[in-house]
Amino acid sequence: MRDWISLMKEIIKRRRLIWDLSKADFRKRFVGSYFGMVWMFVQPLVTVLIYFFIFQLGFKSAPPIPGIPYVLWLVPGIVPWFFYSESLNCITGCLQEYSYLVKKVVFQVEVLPVIKLVSCLLVHAFFVLIMLVLALCYGKMPMLTWIQVLYYTFAASMLALAIGYLTSSIQVFFKDMAQIVSICLQFGMWLTPIMYSEEMFADYPWVISLLKINPFYYIAAGYRSSILTGDWFWERPRMTLYFWAVTAVLGFVGMKTFKRLRPHFSDVL
């Protein structure tokens, strides 16, 4: 806990530097690209279209929520996943990418994962806007719970940071960590009810319980309930407590590992 409090103080102290480096990181993604920021949207939109054609038009799946089109149900689940997976991938490799900063004695390397997270948040903001516009286009009236997306975005950010501090510190010494994270995220997407509803396993309650062990289930379900059904997060107290307990444990392990390995980063890089 003290390590995270120290990190929060460092973030506040160096907020201007973090913001400037995050904007530079965001712009760097599109340097030399003819279409620039257009590529930021191409892959996610193509992914959504593929799942729409397969599940809605191909398998003719019934909407998980009656009266809600499949694509409108899909987007609030997949948008936070795009953010979470991109954040975790970027954070995992951030120490190698910014090795020149890691080698500076005066630079606090703990803020590097935060810089990557903020850069990914800038991208995520565009997709949240698209998600809300899509809901309006389908005739969904705005609800007060839409503001709750900020809470679930914060939850996804904390989960990505908690795991990212562990994976980024290991990545310095074990280069295969980035590939392991990528493979785990591919499995994780299917282990989370994003393209399908957990209700399809209604005859197997143990499968539903198993799916809910995944902490990202809380975030995907939270986005959907905020946009589509108007439920508040405190209406799921057990899931909320479980999510933050798991995130706290992961954060403790991740930060302790990062702190222990930090003195050796510059030697290896």
Side-chain angles (χ1 to χ4, degrees):
M1 180 61 70
R2 286 183 299 177
D3 292 334
W4 281 93
I5 293 175
S6 176
L7 175 64
M8 292 300 109
K9 292 180 179 178
E10 191 66 29
I11 291 173
I12 295 172
K13 179 181 177 181
R14 300 180 182 271
R15 60 187 181 278
R16 179 61 62 86
L17 174 64
I18 292 172
W19 176 242
D20 290 340
L21 289 175
S22 298
K23 289 190 296 182
D25 184 89
F26 177 78
R27 290 192 297 266
K28 185 174 64 176
R29 302 184 188 197
F30 314 107
V31 172
S33 174
Y34 184 78
F35 290 102
M37 290 181 60
V38 172
W39 294 115
M40 182 176 68
F41 301 97
V42 170
Q43 182 180 354
L45 291 178
V46 169
T47 303
V48 170
L49 287 174
I50 289 173
Y51 291 141
F52 171 73
F53 280 109
I54 291 176
F55 289 97
Q56 181 66 38
L57 303 182
F59 294 146
K60 300 186 184 300
S61 303
I65 301 178
I68 301 294
Y70 177 79
V71 68
L72 185 58
W73 177 87
L74 171 66
V75 170
I78 206 168
V79 162
W81 178 261
F82 287 148
F83 165 62
Y84 170 72
S85 59
E86 182 188 23
S87 298
L88 189 52
N89 273 320
C90 291
I91 291 172
T92 298
C94 69
L95 296 180
Q96 283 188 314
E97 183 178 347
Y98 288 101
S99 58
Y100 61 94
L101 291 177
V102 176
K103 295 175 183 179
K104 291 183 178 295
V105 179
V106 296
F107 189 83
Q108 296 293 324
V109 295
E110 289 86 352
V111 303
L112 288 177
V114 179
I115 289 169
K116 280 294 185 181
L117 179 68
V118 174
S119 176
C120 293
L121 277 169
L122 295 175
V123 178
H124 182 58
F126 286 100
F127 282 102
V128 169
L129 181 61
I130 292 174
M131 176 180 68
L132 298 179
V133 170
L134 180 67
L136 293 173
C137 290
Y138 270 95
K140 195 71 179 175
M141 296 301 296
M143 295 182 289
L144 190 59
T145 52
W146 283 17
I147 197 173
Q148 197 173 227
V149 166
L150 296 174
Y151 162 74
Y152 285 109
T153 298
F154 174 74
S157 301
M158 292 299 100
L159 181 61
L161 270 183
I163 301 175
Y165 274 107
L166 176 65
T167 58
S168 62
S169 58
I170 296 176
Q171 167 71 11
V172 174
F173 306 92
F174 182 61
K175 308 303 181 187
D176 293 337
M177 178 54 67
Q179 283 70 35
I180 293 174
V181 169
S182 181
I183 292 172
C184 289
L185 286 172
Q186 292 180 30
F187 279 106
M189 186 173 187
W190 290 100
L191 292 175
T192 307
I194 294 176
M195 283 80 68
Y196 60 89
S197 173
E198 66 269 24
E199 296 304 321
M200 65 187 295
F201 299 107
D203 295 333
Y204 305 95
W206 63 271
V207 176
I208 298 178
S209 299
L210 193 62
L211 292 173
K212 290 182 179 180
I213 292 176
N214 178 358
F216 195 82
Y217 172 90
Y218 174 75
I219 297 168
Y223 266 73
R224 283 191 174 123
S225 62
S226 298
I227 301 299
L228 302 178
T229 59
D231 299 326
W232 295 97
F233 72 89
W234 56 75
E235 296 178 39
R236 299 187 298 159
R238 286 191 298 176
M239 283 298 299
T240 299
L241 289 174
Y242 169 76
F243 171 83
W244 286 112
V246 170
T247 302
V249 171
L250 291 172
F252 175 81
V253 173
M255 185 60 76
K256 283 295 181 183
T257 304
F258 192 94
K259 290 277 190 179
R260 181 166 298 233
L261 297 177
R262 182 181 60 181
H264 309 290
F265 288 162
S266 57
D267 295 334
V268 177
L269 293 172

